[in-house]
Each structure stands twice: as structure tokens, then as C-alpha cells.
Amino acid sequence: MVVAQKSNVTLKSLDLFREVNKTFPKTTQILDLKQQGKKVFGWFCTYVPEEVIHAARILPIRITGYSEEVELDDGNAYFYINNCSFSRSCLQLGLRGGYEFLDGVVGGSTCDGARRLFDLWRHYIGTPFHQVITVPRKSTEPAHELYYQQVVEFQQRLEEFLGIKITDEALVKSIGVYNESRALLKKLYDFRKLDAPPVTGAETMEVLDASFRMPKELFNNYLKELLAEIEKSGNGYKGRARLMLVGSVMANPEFVRCIEGQGGLVVADELCTSTRYWSDPVLLKKGEPPLLSLSRRYLNNFPCARMVPSDDRFNRIIALARDFNVDGVVSQIIRYCVSYAHDLPLLREKLGQVGVPVLALDVEYGTPGSGQIQTRVQAFLEMLEAKRK
Amino acid sequence: MTVAESRTDKINAIVRASRLILRMNPARPELQKSDAIYYKMLATYFTRLLEAPQKGGFVAAHTVFFPTEILYAMDIVPMHTELTTWMAAMFLGEQAELLAGGAELGLAPEICSPHRGLAGAFLLKALPRPDVMLWSSLICDNSAKSGELVMKLNDCPGFFLDRPFQRTKPEVDYFVGELGRMIDFLEQLSGKKMNWDRLSEMVARMDEHIKLLQEISELRKAVPSPFPYQGYLKLLSVDYMFPGQPEATEYLETLRDELAAMVKAGKGAVGKERFRIMTLFIPPMYMSGFLEKISQEYGAVSVVEPLFTLWMEGGLDPSKPLESVAKKSFLIPESRTMYGPLSKQMLDEVVQIARDYKVDGAVYWAFIGCRHTCATIKLFKDVLNEIDIPMLTVDCDLVDPTINSKEEIREKLERFFELLEER
Ligand code: SF4
Ligand code: SF4
């Protein structure tokens, strides 16, 4: 188990995030905003430029599934069993009314699961507004042009739907709010680079989960509070090894807790619910429309396994492993999440070349970590310890 | 990853099997002239591949729905990777070895089997080493992600062709640009030049092929329907192997004439037609003969396959060859229906097709490796139910025989035919 080295102060402000996660999707904040007549949109994937929704004075929230492993009867019936449990879980939650308050959904042509989730959502759940954005799989100049055109079209459709104009000023302001969030999250992650990080991986994931489930401004305030508290706490954790999590979408702190319960301190990740969500700020350029800077950031962001060439993703994972002084990588791939499954042999080889071993786990979305996972993590940690000797 | 010494026994065996069928052809009166042309095409395709290294040919391995016409116009030898794995499954029944190769590479069993098989085939050097690997986002994550491992296994360069999601003008323009960039890349790599006149000729022929395929579909509306249950596999592979090629014209014209003659004579593909089936997605390749037998036994004929053989639109323009190649990519039945958002219009279209072809029941072959198609099962079932057409879903694998037994499939189909009979 991960052990507190110095003081072990309970971080009270974590409760703010926990409360959001516990009640999501129907959090008090969301229901209150709805009652005040504010619109709420759900988005399916990190390639959807959230700032555009925010600039339209709509609350953007990320559609995620159940936070625990549940029977996915409806998910299976509507999606069939061979689609990833993330998509099935999201759809089931939607079919059962979890997101009934949504005024719109926005998806991307990002992977098979995500694009079909959009199709099924539109057909069986339906929301007043829905849009799927074509996301190129390359980040070449022509690909950027296409993606920018898609983002412009998205903005225009949104304007038509709302009968408003999304001004450049509003966009710049929203970008500012989101960039602040990214900068604050970077600070949180910088703590994890320390020899004895003051926060655990599971706690970090709790913060991250809340980041896409609540108004960003409020999240930033909560996070500032937490950062100040961490600074004062003097906390420091040590484990048997420093680990990085890679692979499919995951929003489940219990899974991280399971790994940390075995003594593997999770200090970094490349998940689209964590690092890949916040890592790159939008760089506004003088004389350039803010929407263009925004679209550049989204296509150039830390790539998902869907992008080609995969080396861009691998290189950034390797850089993270170095920056966070990682001993080993835990790859968790949801069954039928094919983009990540295809990358695994090549990623394993690349990490092997820089001396970082990989533990590959097949998981289901929402899993808290089974006995089998615990045993495999144990064996992996033993191997890492032996390697160090 | 240790890659084996080069062997091409699988390809050799496919060529031998095709030639054997051809030799036996005269002794099998049930085989039509079009069948002979088809097997000759198979033999030609794979022989050219086998002989490429000696003849100085430049071999391009590529994934499914790749615009092979570009390769032909550049005098590059194509190697359709998934098709070759399917053929190995169909003719040789040796897919286990290839799939084991995929597993050895660490590819998860959830990855679609033709892709695991093709990676395994390259690991085992059962396919010739390509000079270049070409792959695209058509039609799923598997095709979009399979190229880099193949490049690595063969230590060869590659190009990823990014085919956008929807058929809007900016996306089609982007795709035309991608095709142009790929041609530049291939010209530099192979030293071969694009022959634009040849490409225009091919576009004209592809347009003719679409019309022929539409005529063939029309003929299949006849009662009884003249086309054998498993015939659509040939329609598929002809476009995979010989798009815009004269061989394909000969095959399709001959087939059309044969079917027209049968319709005129009131002859159906089975002795007594009892059930007209709409086939949704592709049945297991290796069960081809077995399913044909069941079809004969029960008088069940697949009259239409809206997701993979029914071409709804043509109109390619030889004076704009690259734009037409791009356009064709959006017209291919499977890419039209299965890649891109699945609209209400598409679902309504399937309902209309069921009516037009007087369909009694539909069979959805739920290939467990193909996630994005299986995600449409309920959508199709629901819309067909609305017009009182029952749909059977059969879990299967395209090439892996360990997923289900023939008995199981027979039992399911029998029960379904009983249900149709009772109605
Ligand atoms: S893993 Fe990739 S495609 Fe899937 S939701 Fe995350 S960013 Fe989108
Ligand atoms: S990236 Fe993977 S986990 Fe995410 S939706 Fe696609 S298949 Fe599912």
C-alpha cells in the first residue's frame, strides 16, 4: 500500500470534488442551473472544443458512464456486447434518464465506439441539438484546415440554434477560463513529480473527474483551494514503485486506489480523462481568429491512440515517463477498445527500449479492480523491485 | 518481435486452389461461365503478387476499401491484406496459424480477426514482403490502426490515407488532397509515375461497373431470385481486386447476362424458392459452401445485401479522375452505410429496400470483431420489425472457426426458417 511518509493531513477540499462526482450527472449545480433556465450540453470526446459551448453561455459537461461496474443490460441490447463498456455504460445511463436534462450533445468521429454512441443516442435518446464533428486522424496542415472548418461550422450551427452570436471576445474569455484550469491542473501534476508527492493518483483522478462535470469557473476556485491546502499539508507519499497509467478512457478513482492499495504509487497518466484532457493550453496568436487558435490546440493536443502516426503519442508517453520518474507503466485497455489494443505491441516495444516495463491489463469500464488485477499488480511491483536491486 | 524467413505458401496455395477449381470447371455443370472468369481472376491476382519480386514489380499492401484503381494506374502491384486473409480462410482453412501469429504479436482477441490474421501472416512471412504499406480510416478503427505494425514487421515505409467521416464538400476536398499527397509519395518512393489517362479510363470503367452491379441487383428482385446465396462474396471481391479493370467488366457482364437468362426462363438459384432473405453484414467466409448447401436445402435465397453489395448511386466522371476516385469512396455500399453517421434516411432506405425486394426475413451476421456494424443491429431490427420483417442475429466470426460450430448455425437458421414458414 502507498504509505504517507511525512504528515498525513486529510485534504478537506477534496470533498468538494467528491460531492460533484457522487451525484453526477444530476448534481445540485447542474439542476440549479437548469432551473435558472441555463442550457447544458453533453460532449463525448476530448476532440470536441468545449470552449465554443462555454462561450455560448452553455454549461458543457462530459458524458461518462456509471462510476462502478454495473450490469449493462440496456447497453448490451442497444449497442451489442462487442462494443466497449465505456460506450455501453454511457448509453445505458442516457437511456435510463441520467442525462435527461441535456439540451444538446456533441460528438466527434473519433473512434467506432464514440461515433456509434452518437448515432444511438440521437436515435433512441434524442436531444434538441446534436452535432458530430469530423476529426481528421492526422495533424497535418490540410487536416488542420478541415478541422477548423468543422469547428467553424459547429459554432455557426450553435449560433443558429440559440439565435445568438458567439463573439471573439466571448471566445477569448472562455479560452482564458479553460487555460487557467489547465495551468492549475499542471500545478497539481507538478506536485506529483516530487519524490514523495503530496497527493495520490486516486485523489488526482477525483479532481479530474469533477473538472468536466461542473462549471469551469467554480472548478478553478475549488482547485485553487485544494492547491493551497496541499501546499500547507506537508503530505508526502511513497510506494513500492512509481507508476504511470495509460490506455482507454477511465474515470474511476477506485481502480487507481486498487493499484495504490498494492503499493504502486500512480504519479502520472496519459488518459483522455486526465493528462490528455488538460495538458496543452490554447495559444492565442495576435491577428489570428481565436477559433483558429482553439482548433489548432484540439488537433495538436496530446494525441489519442486514434491518431496517426502513433509515434507522436508514444514519444509523449516516454517524455512523461521521464518527467515523472516512472518505474513502470500500467496499460489498462477496455475490452473492444481497438485503437489502444492495436498500439499496445508497439508501445510496449518503445517503452522497453527506454527501460520502462509495461503491465497490460484488460478491463471493463468502471471496474474497481478485481482480485486478479490485484495479483497481477503485485507481481508487476515485485518485478520492478527486483529490477531495481 | 522476431519475423520469420519469407514464405509464400499461403498465396501459392490460393493460386493452386483457384486453378484446380478452374480445371474442374467443365466437369461441374452447375458452375456458370462467370464462375470460371472469377476463378481465373483470383489466379491472376495472386500469381501477379507471387511473381512480383522476380519481375521487378513494386508491391503495395493495402487495407480494405482502399482505392486500388490508383495503384493499377501507377502500375503498382496491389495486395489486399484482409482479402488475402479471407481467402486463406476460405480455400485453405489454415487461418488458425495466422491468428496464432497475431496473438504472438500481443494483439488482443477483440481486434477483428482478419486484422489479427494479416498481422500474423506478415509475422510468419506467409505473405510476400510489400514495398509499401497503405492503409486508411475506411472503415473502422481496425483498418485505421493496422498499418504501422505491418510497416514495422516488414521494415517498409507506409502512407496513411485519412478518409474523412462525412460526405460534405470540405471533407471530399480534403480527401482529394489526401489522394494527391499519396500519389506524390508513391511516385517518389517507387519511381513510377501516375498515368492520368489510364486512371480516367478506369474511372469510366468503374462507372460502368456500378451500372452493371445495379442491373444485377435489379435482376435479383425477380421471383424466384436467380443469384446463389453465397454469390455476393464474389461481387465483393471483384471490386476489392479489380476496380476499373477489364476483367471485372467481363465478369460482371457475363454474370448479368446469365442472371437475365435465368430470370427470363423463370429459373431461380434454388430448386424451390421459399424464403427471400435480406443479408445484413457478411457471413463467415469459411462456411461459404456449408451455407450454400443450407440455402439449397431450405430454399432460402439472399436477395439483397444493402450494407455491402447494393450500389445506390453512380455518376463518376472520367474527366475528373481524382475527384471521381474520391467520390467512389463515398459510394461503396459499406462505406456509405456503415462509415459516417447512420441517419434516419439510411434506415428508411433499408425499409424500402426490404419492400422492393419482397424480403421475408433478414439475417444479421454479427461478426464479433466488427463493433461498429454490430452497434447497428438493434437499429435495423427495430425498423424492420415495424414493417413486420423478422430479423435473426447470428454471432459469428468472419474467419475464425473456433467461435461457433456449423451445427449451431444450422440450428439457428433452421429455427428461423421454421418461424418464417409459420408466418
Ligand atoms: S480515447 Fe480517444 S476517441 Fe476515445 S473518447 Fe478518448 S479521446 Fe475520444
Ligand atoms: S476510444 Fe476506446 S473506450 Fe473510448 S469510446 Fe472508443 S473504443 Fe470506447
Side-chain angles (χ1 to χ4, degrees):
Chain A
M1 133 142 160
V2 170
V3 197
Q5 288 295 295
K6 302 180 243 165
S7 63
N8 188 13
V9 177
T10 311
L11 300 168
K12 284 211 191 68
S13 35
L14 272 177
D15 289 342
L16 300 169
F17 304 101
R18 283 183 184 139
E19 182 56 27
V20 171
N21 293 330
K22 205 167 77 197
T23 47
F24 185 79
K26 291 183 176 165
T27 64
T28 10
Q29 287 149 3
I30 292 176
L31 297 179
D32 282 353
L33 286 172
K34 282 296 294 185
Q35 213 154 38
Q36 291 158 26
K38 185 155 177 162
K39 290 197 164 40
V40 181
F41 270 36
W43 51 273
F44 286 127
C45 164
T46 35
Y47 284 91
V48 172
E50 232 183 309
E51 286 91 328
V52 179
I53 306 173
H54 184 270
R57 301 179 146 272
I58 298 172
L59 170 68
I61 55 161
R62 182 176 194 155
I63 292 176
T64 49
Y66 297 95
S67 340
E68 70 257 41
E69 212 173 339
V70 295
E71 289 296 323
L72 293 173
D73 302 340
D74 289 345
N76 297 346
Y78 284 75
F79 231 124
Y80 219 60
I81 35 154
N82 60 352
N83 277 278
C84 71
S85 44
F86 170 66
S87 323
R88 282 182 283 139
S89 181
C90 292
L91 185 72
Q92 178 162 314
L93 191 51
L95 286 166
R96 296 191 178 174
Y99 290 99
E100 63 199 356
F101 54 80
L102 287 181
D103 301 286
V105 287
V106 189
S109 64
T110 47
C111 72
D112 296 342
R115 65 191 172 87
R116 284 292 183 235
L117 175 58
F118 182 84
D119 284 341
L120 291 165
W121 196 288
R122 192 175 46 179
H123 194 85
Y124 290 110
I125 302 172
T127 43
F129 180 94
H130 41 79
Q131 168 113 358
V132 67
I133 295 173
T134 291
V135 187
R137 288 196 187 244
K138 290 180 170 178
S139 52
T140 55
E141 216 28 59
H144 272 291
E145 280 165 28
L146 176 63
Y147 182 68
Y148 177 51
Q149 178 277 329
Q150 290 287 307
V151 175
V152 170
E153 196 185 299
F154 169 48
Q155 174 173 331
Q156 285 165 352
R157 280 213 50 220
L158 205 51
E159 288 174 338
E160 272 166 38
F161 174 73
L162 300 167
I164 58 154
K165 179 104 195 89
I166 301 171
T167 61
D168 279 1
E169 290 70 36
L171 266 173
V172 170
K173 213 166 147 217
S174 298
I175 289 170
V177 173
Y178 276 70
N179 272 353
E180 184 186 15
S181 198
R182 291 174 183 123
L184 292 168
L185 284 164
K186 186 173 178 309
K187 277 196 188 148
L188 180 68
Y189 270 64
D190 282 344
F191 280 129
R192 304 171 79 194
K193 288 183 182 163
L194 298 174
D195 193 37
V199 281
T200 64
E203 289 166 343
T204 310
M205 184 159 278
E206 290 177 309
V207 176
L208 259 308
D209 281 353
S211 74
F212 39 71
R213 293 173 168 170
M214 62 189 291
K216 225 22 145 207
E217 294 83 347
L218 189 60
F219 171 77
N220 289 352
N221 289 340
Y222 284 6
L223 187 50
K224 279 180 211 158
E225 226 176 282
L226 176 71
L227 290 171
E229 204 185 349
I230 290 175
E231 201 123 32
K232 273 200 271 152
S233 71
N235 283 357
Y237 293 98
K238 281 254 183 185
R240 292 163 63 187
R242 294 170 67 88
L243 301 178
M244 166 154 73
L245 268 181
V246 303
S248 309
V249 58
M250 206 248 282
N252 184 10
E254 288 316 307
F255 180 80
V256 185
R257 214 157 263 135
C258 160
I259 294 175
E260 297 191 319
Q262 307 301 307
L265 183 64
V266 176
V267 294
D269 66 76
E270 70 94 32
L271 307 176
C272 74
T273 32
S274 309
T275 302
R276 288 206 287 105
Y277 175 55
W278 64 262
S279 65
D280 299 10
V282 179
L283 302 173
L284 288 168
K285 271 200 206 149
K286 246 203 173 130
E288 185 178 88
L291 203 60
L292 181 57
S293 317
L294 184 71
S295 93
R296 284 210 161 265
R297 182 270 172 196
Y298 273 85
L299 201 59
N300 275 342
N301 188 26
F302 195 139
C304 166
R306 70 178 292 278
M307 299 296 279
V308 179
S310 308
D311 271 345
D312 294 347
R313 173 174 172 247
F314 299 157
N315 291 339
R316 287 195 65 164
I317 291 177
I318 290 168
L320 275 185
R322 282 204 186 108
D323 286 356
F324 286 82
N325 198 15
V326 159
D327 302 310
V329 162
V330 177
S331 153
Q332 56 85 38
I333 299 181
I334 298 177
R335 285 195 186 91
Y336 295 106
C337 180
V338 156
S339 305
Y340 289 91
H342 269 283
D343 267 1
L344 185 60
L346 293 172
L347 177 63
R348 192 195 280 276
E349 191 169 283
K350 295 259 172 189
L351 282 166
Q353 284 161 4
V354 292
V356 179
V358 177
L359 168 67
L361 300 174
D362 285 339
V363 298
E364 292 299 358
Y365 181 77
T367 183
S370 59
Q372 199 205 358
I373 288 180
Q374 286 175 12
T375 314
R376 296 203 51 208
V377 170
Q378 269 293 341
F380 186 59
L381 291 170
E382 276 161 26
M383 187 272 282
L384 292 177
E385 283 167 333
K387 190 173 162 247
R388 249 201 320 261
K389 277 179 196 154
Chain B
M1 309 164 194
T2 331
V3 183
E5 284 294 301
S6 181
R7 312 156 18 203
T8 43
D9 49 347
K10 294 269 181 291
I11 306 276
N12 243 321
I14 297 173
V15 172
R16 278 203 309 273
S18 311
R19 287 194 183 137
L20 187 70
I21 296 172
L22 266 176
R23 272 205 305 278
M24 283 161 45
N25 209 16
R28 293 173 64 190
E30 77 279 11
L31 287 183
Q32 306 256 26
K33 199 173 153 213
S34 60
D35 286 317
I37 301 172
Y38 175 76
Y39 288 108
K40 209 166 117 198
M41 284 164 81
L42 274 189
T44 309
Y45 183 88
F46 288 108
T47 307
R48 187 166 46 203
L49 190 55
L50 270 181
E51 292 175 354
Q54 292 88 51
K55 293 194 169 166
F58 188 88
V59 176
H62 65 87
T63 47
V64 73
F65 304 121
F66 201 84
T68 320
E69 51 275 16
I70 289 198
L71 305 180
Y72 281 119
M74 293 183 74
D75 196 24
I76 289 175
V77 180
M79 169 162 60
H80 191 306
T81 48
E82 291 95 329
L83 181 84
T84 312
T85 322
W86 293 359
M87 290 293 171
M90 252 184 1
F91 285 121
L92 319 175
E94 287 175 10
Q95 55 275 47
E97 192 191 342
L98 304 185
L99 293 172
E104 196 183 314
L105 283 167
L107 292 176
E110 292 87 12
I111 291 177
C112 107
S113 46
H115 282 94
R116 277 184 283 133
L118 74 88
F122 281 117
L123 177 79
L124 302 169
K125 290 277 184 245
L127 299 182
R129 180 189 174 277
D131 295 296
V132 66
M133 174 68 197
L134 308 171
W135 76 107
S136 87
S137 31
L138 262 190
I139 192 161
C140 65
D141 295 339
N142 282 302
S143 34
K145 290 302 291 182
S146 62
E148 287 169 310
L149 185 58
V150 174
M151 280 165 67
K152 164 104 192 139
L153 290 170
N154 290 291
D155 191 20
C156 71
F159 189 93
F160 172 67
L161 185 65
D162 193 10
R163 156 65 153 77
F165 188 52
Q166 310 182 68
R167 195 179 163 195
T168 61
K169 184 163 182 329
E171 290 172 74
V172 176
D173 289 348
Y174 172 71
F175 191 48
V176 172
E178 277 288 283
L179 290 170
R181 288 183 282 279
M182 182 181 75
I183 292 169
D184 291 346
F185 166 83
L186 286 173
E187 283 189 339
Q188 274 185 19
L189 188 73
S190 67
K192 296 191 181 269
K193 287 271 158 268
M194 165 55 85
N195 184 332
W196 292 101
D197 291 338
R198 205 191 291 165
L199 187 63
S200 292
E201 281 167 29
M202 286 178 199
V203 166
R205 249 186 250 120
M206 286 191 313
D207 195 48
E208 217 180 297
H209 294 171
I210 295 175
K211 284 185 199 131
L212 284 163
L213 285 159
Q214 287 172 333
E215 285 178 48
I216 289 168
S217 293
E218 271 306 302
L219 288 162
R220 295 175 70 191
K221 282 184 181 163
V223 182
S225 186
F227 199 54
Y229 192 78
Q230 292 292 296
Y232 49 81
L233 290 178
K234 291 177 186 153
L235 292 185
L236 264 185
S237 41
V238 162
D239 187 59
Y240 287 172
M241 291 185 297
F242 289 95
Q245 303 309 298
E247 292 95 327
T249 316
E250 191 195 357
Y251 171 75
L252 293 171
E253 279 176 352
T254 311
L255 178 63
R256 187 235 3 232
D257 294 346
E258 287 166 357
L259 296 179
M262 283 175 78
V263 170
K264 202 165 162 211
K267 250 177 91 182
V270 290
K272 183 171 178 287
E273 181 176 293
R274 289 166 63 206
F275 311 115
R276 295 173 67 82
I277 305 294
M278 169 187 274
T279 302
L280 294 153
F281 214 58
I282 309 171
M285 297 287 166
Y286 63 94
M287 280 196 187
S288 187
F290 167 74
L291 292 172
E292 189 61 58
K293 209 168 133 233
I294 292 198
S295 149
Q296 293 291 343
E297 254 176 64
Y298 287 88
V301 186
S302 177
V303 289
V304 66
E305 302 84 29
L307 307 190
F308 54 100
T309 59
L310 190 63
W311 291 71
M312 302 296 283
E313 193 190 326
L316 304 182
D317 179 357
S319 70
K320 292 184 184 148
L322 216 49
E323 286 78 358
S324 293
V325 170
K327 181 175 175 185
K328 187 200 159 196
S329 159
F330 289 89
L331 304 183
I332 295 169
E334 193 170 344
S335 86
R336 206 180 141 268
T337 54
M338 287 289 115
Y339 192 65
L342 188 63
S343 62
K344 167 96 177 50
Q345 182 205 334
M346 204 80 79
L347 292 166
D348 291 345
E349 200 177 277
V350 168
V351 167
Q352 193 51 46
I353 292 166
R355 289 195 174 112
D356 293 349
Y357 283 77
K358 302 187 182 70
V359 163
D360 300 309
V363 179
Y364 203 120
W365 294 93
F367 167 29
I368 52 159
C370 190
R371 304 153 312 132
H372 72 132
T373 52
C374 287
T376 66
I377 289 176
K378 181 154 170 58
L379 287 167
F380 285 117
K381 196 176 186 132
D382 286 354
V383 292
L384 288 172
N385 260 345
E386 277 169 27
I387 54 163
D388 209 22
I389 292 183
M391 187 180 106
L392 169 73
T393 307
V394 188
D395 289 341
C396 66
D397 190 281
L398 272 187
V399 298
D400 185 353
T402 60
I403 301 298
N404 39 23
S405 66
K406 286 182 177 170
E407 293 71 44
E408 230 177 285
I409 290 203
R410 172 182 278 277
E411 208 186 297
K412 278 199 170 164
L413 288 172
E414 273 175 2
R415 259 191 275 133
F416 185 60
F417 295 147
E418 273 165 26
L419 179 130
L420 293 182
E421 185 72 50
E422 279 163 19
R423 292 157 66 95

